[in-house]
Amino acid sequence: GDSVTQMEGPVTLSEEAFLTINCTYTATGYPSLFWYVQYPGEGLQLLLKATKADDKGSNKGFEATYRKETTSFHLEKGSVQVSDSAVYFCALTDSGAGSYQLTFGKGTKLSVIP
Amino acid sequence: GAGVSQTPSNKVTEKGKYVELRCDPISGHTALYWYRQSLGQGPEFLIYFQGTGAADDSGLPNDRFFAVRPEGSVSTLKIQRTERGDSAVYLCASSLRGGSSAYTGELFFGEGSRLTVL
C-alpha cells in the first residue's frame, strides 16, 4: 500500500538557519504530494502541494519539488523564523489508484529559537 | 462558522463507555472526512462522506466505530464500548467538492477532539 516516510524530529534550528525536512513515498499509482503544517493550538492546514513529477510547490518561503526518480518531496526553506515553529506532515493522495484518502507521514516537529 | 468546528475538544471516559464526537464542517462543503491521530503518528483515515452517504468507511478499525451525517452537514463519530487503545485525537476535515478536490488534497481540518479512555 501507499506510505510516506519523513525524517524524525524534533528539529531545532536557530532563526535564519536553512531548513530541510526529508520526505520519501511509496505509491502504486500517480500520487499528488503535499506538505501540511500544524501550528500550536491550530488545526492542520495545507502548506504546499505538487500534483505531477518535477512540479515545485511553494508557499510562505517554503518549497518542495516532486522528484519521481527518487520518490521524494523534501521541504526546504532558506531562512526560518520563530513563527515557523510547528509540526510538518508530508502526505500523498494517489488519484491514479482511484483513492481520495490522504496518507500522512508521522510528522516532524520544528522548533526555531531566536 | 469560518472553519471546521469539533466538539468536545477534550473527552475523558472510562473503558466500556459510549462516546460521540461532533464535527461541523465549513458551510457549503459537501465532502467530510474523519481521521484519527495517535500519539507520535500522522493522521490515519477513518471514513469519508460525500453528502449524506459514507462513500468509503474502509478505515474504520472495527464495528465499534460508526459515523453518520444525516443532513449532509454536521457529522457525528460514534464509538461503542470504548477501549484504552481508542485514545487518540480524532480529526475532522471538509472540502468543497468530493472526489476532485479530494484528489488535490486540499482539506480543511478542525482542531480535533482529544479522546482519553481510562
Side-chain angles (χ1 to χ4, degrees), chain A residues 87-100:
Chain A
V87 182
Y88 293 82
F89 293 89
C90 186
L92 69 82
T93 187
D94 195 346
S95 58
S99 171
Y100 46 79

mmCIF file with all atom_site columns, all heavy atoms in Angstrom, chain A residues 87-100:
data_model
loop_
_atom_site.group_PDB
_atom_site.id
_atom_site.type_symbol
_atom_site.label_atom_id
_atom_site.label_alt_id
_atom_site.label_comp_id
_atom_site.label_asym_id
_atom_site.label_entity_id
_atom_site.label_seq_id
_atom_site.pdbx_PDB_ins_code
_atom_site.Cartn_x
_atom_site.Cartn_y
_atom_site.Cartn_z
_atom_site.occupancy
_atom_site.B_iso_or_equiv
_atom_site.pdbx_formal_charge
_atom_site.auth_seq_id
_atom_site.auth_comp_id
_atom_site.auth_asym_id
_atom_site.auth_atom_id
_atom_site.pdbx_PDB_model_num
ATOM 1   N N   . VAL A 1 87  ? 4.504   21.551 13.630  1.00 0.00 ? 87  VAL A N   1
ATOM 2   C CA  . VAL A 1 87  ? 4.714   20.173 13.197  1.00 0.00 ? 87  VAL A CA  1
ATOM 3   C C   . VAL A 1 87  ? 4.373   20.096 11.711  1.00 0.00 ? 87  VAL A C   1
ATOM 4   O O   . VAL A 1 87  ? 3.307   20.559 11.291  1.00 0.00 ? 87  VAL A O   1
ATOM 5   C CB  . VAL A 1 87  ? 3.862   19.177 14.002  1.00 0.00 ? 87  VAL A CB  1
ATOM 6   C CG1 . VAL A 1 87  ? 4.155   17.747 13.557  1.00 0.00 ? 87  VAL A CG1 1
ATOM 7   C CG2 . VAL A 1 87  ? 4.131   19.328 15.495  1.00 0.00 ? 87  VAL A CG2 1
ATOM 8   N N   . TYR A 1 88  ? 5.261   19.511 10.929  1.00 0.00 ? 88  TYR A N   1
ATOM 9   C CA  . TYR A 1 88  ? 5.106   19.432 9.482   1.00 0.00 ? 88  TYR A CA  1
ATOM 10  C C   . TYR A 1 88  ? 4.853   17.985 9.075   1.00 0.00 ? 88  TYR A C   1
ATOM 11  O O   . TYR A 1 88  ? 5.570   17.070 9.483   1.00 0.00 ? 88  TYR A O   1
ATOM 12  C CB  . TYR A 1 88  ? 6.358   19.971 8.792   1.00 0.00 ? 88  TYR A CB  1
ATOM 13  C CG  . TYR A 1 88  ? 6.532   21.459 9.014   1.00 0.00 ? 88  TYR A CG  1
ATOM 14  C CD1 . TYR A 1 88  ? 7.104   21.939 10.189  1.00 0.00 ? 88  TYR A CD1 1
ATOM 15  C CD2 . TYR A 1 88  ? 6.085   22.380 8.066   1.00 0.00 ? 88  TYR A CD2 1
ATOM 16  C CE1 . TYR A 1 88  ? 7.235   23.311 10.412  1.00 0.00 ? 88  TYR A CE1 1
ATOM 17  C CE2 . TYR A 1 88  ? 6.207   23.741 8.275   1.00 0.00 ? 88  TYR A CE2 1
ATOM 18  C CZ  . TYR A 1 88  ? 6.779   24.202 9.452   1.00 0.00 ? 88  TYR A CZ  1
ATOM 19  O OH  . TYR A 1 88  ? 6.895   25.550 9.675   1.00 0.00 ? 88  TYR A OH  1
ATOM 20  N N   . PHE A 1 89  ? 3.816   17.799 8.246   1.00 0.00 ? 89  PHE A N   1
ATOM 21  C CA  . PHE A 1 89  ? 3.428   16.471 7.796   1.00 0.00 ? 89  PHE A CA  1
ATOM 22  C C   . PHE A 1 89  ? 3.526   16.392 6.273   1.00 0.00 ? 89  PHE A C   1
ATOM 23  O O   . PHE A 1 89  ? 2.916   17.214 5.576   1.00 0.00 ? 89  PHE A O   1
ATOM 24  C CB  . PHE A 1 89  ? 1.997   16.145 8.192   1.00 0.00 ? 89  PHE A CB  1
ATOM 25  C CG  . PHE A 1 89  ? 1.765   15.993 9.667   1.00 0.00 ? 89  PHE A CG  1
ATOM 26  C CD1 . PHE A 1 89  ? 1.426   17.086 10.444  1.00 0.00 ? 89  PHE A CD1 1
ATOM 27  C CD2 . PHE A 1 89  ? 1.883   14.755 10.272  1.00 0.00 ? 89  PHE A CD2 1
ATOM 28  C CE1 . PHE A 1 89  ? 1.205   16.954 11.807  1.00 0.00 ? 89  PHE A CE1 1
ATOM 29  C CE2 . PHE A 1 89  ? 1.665   14.604 11.634  1.00 0.00 ? 89  PHE A CE2 1
ATOM 30  C CZ  . PHE A 1 89  ? 1.331   15.709 12.404  1.00 0.00 ? 89  PHE A CZ  1
ATOM 31  N N   . CYS A 1 90  ? 4.232   15.405 5.793   1.00 0.00 ? 90  CYS A N   1
ATOM 32  C CA  . CYS A 1 90  ? 4.245   15.082 4.378   1.00 0.00 ? 90  CYS A CA  1
ATOM 33  C C   . CYS A 1 90  ? 3.085   14.118 4.118   1.00 0.00 ? 90  CYS A C   1
ATOM 34  O O   . CYS A 1 90  ? 2.785   13.252 4.964   1.00 0.00 ? 90  CYS A O   1
ATOM 35  C CB  . CYS A 1 90  ? 5.579   14.437 4.012   1.00 0.00 ? 90  CYS A CB  1
ATOM 36  S SG  . CYS A 1 90  ? 5.834   14.137 2.267   1.00 0.00 ? 90  CYS A SG  1
ATOM 37  N N   . ALA A 1 91  ? 2.420   14.253 2.971   1.00 0.00 ? 91  ALA A N   1
ATOM 38  C CA  . ALA A 1 91  ? 1.262   13.408 2.696   1.00 0.00 ? 91  ALA A CA  1
ATOM 39  C C   . ALA A 1 91  ? 1.118   13.194 1.201   1.00 0.00 ? 91  ALA A C   1
ATOM 40  O O   . ALA A 1 91  ? 1.654   13.961 0.395   1.00 0.00 ? 91  ALA A O   1
ATOM 41  C CB  . ALA A 1 91  ? -0.012  14.043 3.266   1.00 0.00 ? 91  ALA A CB  1
ATOM 42  N N   . LEU A 1 92  ? 0.392   12.156 0.842   1.00 0.00 ? 92  LEU A N   1
ATOM 43  C CA  . LEU A 1 92  ? 0.099   11.908 -0.562  1.00 0.00 ? 92  LEU A CA  1
ATOM 44  C C   . LEU A 1 92  ? -1.342  11.448 -0.734  1.00 0.00 ? 92  LEU A C   1
ATOM 45  O O   . LEU A 1 92  ? -1.947  10.903 0.191   1.00 0.00 ? 92  LEU A O   1
ATOM 46  C CB  . LEU A 1 92  ? 1.059   10.875 -1.142  1.00 0.00 ? 92  LEU A CB  1
ATOM 47  C CG  . LEU A 1 92  ? 0.985   9.409  -0.701  1.00 0.00 ? 92  LEU A CG  1
ATOM 48  C CD1 . LEU A 1 92  ? -0.111  8.637  -1.443  1.00 0.00 ? 92  LEU A CD1 1
ATOM 49  C CD2 . LEU A 1 92  ? 2.321   8.717  -0.957  1.00 0.00 ? 92  LEU A CD2 1
ATOM 50  N N   . THR A 1 93  ? -1.864  11.680 -1.919  1.00 0.00 ? 93  THR A N   1
ATOM 51  C CA  . THR A 1 93  ? -3.109  11.056 -2.322  1.00 0.00 ? 93  THR A CA  1
ATOM 52  C C   . THR A 1 93  ? -2.884  10.481 -3.705  1.00 0.00 ? 93  THR A C   1
ATOM 53  O O   . THR A 1 93  ? -2.275  11.125 -4.560  1.00 0.00 ? 93  THR A O   1
ATOM 54  C CB  . THR A 1 93  ? -4.297  12.022 -2.279  1.00 0.00 ? 93  THR A CB  1
ATOM 55  O OG1 . THR A 1 93  ? -5.502  11.311 -2.529  1.00 0.00 ? 93  THR A OG1 1
ATOM 56  C CG2 . THR A 1 93  ? -4.172  13.130 -3.292  1.00 0.00 ? 93  THR A CG2 1
ATOM 57  N N   . ASP A 1 94  ? -3.313  9.250  -3.905  1.00 0.00 ? 94  ASP A N   1
ATOM 58  C CA  . ASP A 1 94  ? -2.974  8.506  -5.105  1.00 0.00 ? 94  ASP A CA  1
ATOM 59  C C   . ASP A 1 94  ? -4.180  8.463  -6.021  1.00 0.00 ? 94  ASP A C   1
ATOM 60  O O   . ASP A 1 94  ? -4.937  7.505  -6.013  1.00 0.00 ? 94  ASP A O   1
ATOM 61  C CB  . ASP A 1 94  ? -2.520  7.099  -4.719  1.00 0.00 ? 94  ASP A CB  1
ATOM 62  C CG  . ASP A 1 94  ? -1.826  6.393  -5.857  1.00 0.00 ? 94  ASP A CG  1
ATOM 63  O OD1 . ASP A 1 94  ? -1.929  6.878  -7.000  1.00 0.00 ? 94  ASP A OD1 1
ATOM 64  O OD2 . ASP A 1 94  ? -1.198  5.346  -5.609  1.00 0.00 ? 94  ASP A OD2 1
ATOM 65  N N   . SER A 1 95  ? -4.343  9.512  -6.821  1.00 0.00 ? 95  SER A N   1
ATOM 66  C CA  . SER A 1 95  ? -5.524  9.584  -7.674  1.00 0.00 ? 95  SER A CA  1
ATOM 67  C C   . SER A 1 95  ? -5.506  8.505  -8.754  1.00 0.00 ? 95  SER A C   1
ATOM 68  O O   . SER A 1 95  ? -6.548  8.051  -9.202  1.00 0.00 ? 95  SER A O   1
ATOM 69  C CB  . SER A 1 95  ? -5.628  10.968 -8.316  1.00 0.00 ? 95  SER A CB  1
ATOM 70  O OG  . SER A 1 95  ? -4.470  11.252 -9.066  1.00 0.00 ? 95  SER A OG  1
ATOM 71  N N   . GLY A 1 96  ? -4.316  8.082  -9.169  1.00 0.00 ? 96  GLY A N   1
ATOM 72  C CA  . GLY A 1 96  ? -4.229  7.056  -10.202 1.00 0.00 ? 96  GLY A CA  1
ATOM 73  C C   . GLY A 1 96  ? -4.794  5.732  -9.741  1.00 0.00 ? 96  GLY A C   1
ATOM 74  O O   . GLY A 1 96  ? -5.267  4.938  -10.544 1.00 0.00 ? 96  GLY A O   1
ATOM 75  N N   . ALA A 1 97  ? -4.737  5.496  -8.453  1.00 0.00 ? 97  ALA A N   1
ATOM 76  C CA  . ALA A 1 97  ? -5.301  4.264  -7.896  1.00 0.00 ? 97  ALA A CA  1
ATOM 77  C C   . ALA A 1 97  ? -6.757  4.451  -7.516  1.00 0.00 ? 97  ALA A C   1
ATOM 78  O O   . ALA A 1 97  ? -7.355  3.573  -6.911  1.00 0.00 ? 97  ALA A O   1
ATOM 79  C CB  . ALA A 1 97  ? -4.483  3.832  -6.673  1.00 0.00 ? 97  ALA A CB  1
ATOM 80  N N   . GLY A 1 98  ? -7.305  5.616  -7.852  1.00 0.00 ? 98  GLY A N   1
ATOM 81  C CA  . GLY A 1 98  ? -8.710  5.872  -7.549  1.00 0.00 ? 98  GLY A CA  1
ATOM 82  C C   . GLY A 1 98  ? -8.962  6.215  -6.102  1.00 0.00 ? 98  GLY A C   1
ATOM 83  O O   . GLY A 1 98  ? -10.094 6.174  -5.636  1.00 0.00 ? 98  GLY A O   1
ATOM 84  N N   . SER A 1 99  ? -7.925  6.573  -5.386  1.00 0.00 ? 99  SER A N   1
ATOM 85  C CA  . SER A 1 99  ? -8.079  6.864  -3.969  1.00 0.00 ? 99  SER A CA  1
ATOM 86  C C   . SER A 1 99  ? -8.184  8.354  -3.735  1.00 0.00 ? 99  SER A C   1
ATOM 87  O O   . SER A 1 99  ? -7.608  9.150  -4.460  1.00 0.00 ? 99  SER A O   1
ATOM 88  C CB  . SER A 1 99  ? -6.880  6.308  -3.200  1.00 0.00 ? 99  SER A CB  1
ATOM 89  O OG  . SER A 1 99  ? -6.915  6.748  -1.867  1.00 0.00 ? 99  SER A OG  1
ATOM 90  N N   . TYR A 1 100 ? -8.905  8.746  -2.762  1.00 0.00 ? 100 TYR A N   1
ATOM 91  C CA  . TYR A 1 100 ? -9.026  10.134 -2.348  1.00 0.00 ? 100 TYR A CA  1
ATOM 92  C C   . TYR A 1 100 ? -8.518  10.309 -0.922  1.00 0.00 ? 100 TYR A C   1
ATOM 93  O O   . TYR A 1 100 ? -8.586  11.365 -0.368  1.00 0.00 ? 100 TYR A O   1
ATOM 94  C CB  . TYR A 1 100 ? -10.488 10.574 -2.422  1.00 0.00 ? 100 TYR A CB  1
ATOM 95  C CG  . TYR A 1 100 ? -11.352 9.526  -1.807  1.00 0.00 ? 100 TYR A CG  1
ATOM 96  C CD1 . TYR A 1 100 ? -11.466 9.434  -0.434  1.00 0.00 ? 100 TYR A CD1 1
ATOM 97  C CD2 . TYR A 1 100 ? -11.939 8.572  -2.604  1.00 0.00 ? 100 TYR A CD2 1
ATOM 98  C CE1 . TYR A 1 100 ? -12.176 8.421  0.132   1.00 0.00 ? 100 TYR A CE1 1
ATOM 99  C CE2 . TYR A 1 100 ? -12.664 7.540  -2.029  1.00 0.00 ? 100 TYR A CE2 1
ATOM 100 C CZ  . TYR A 1 100 ? -12.781 7.469  -0.654  1.00 0.00 ? 100 TYR A CZ  1
ATOM 101 O OH  . TYR A 1 100 ? -13.475 6.454  -0.093  1.00 0.00 ? 100 TYR A OH  1
#
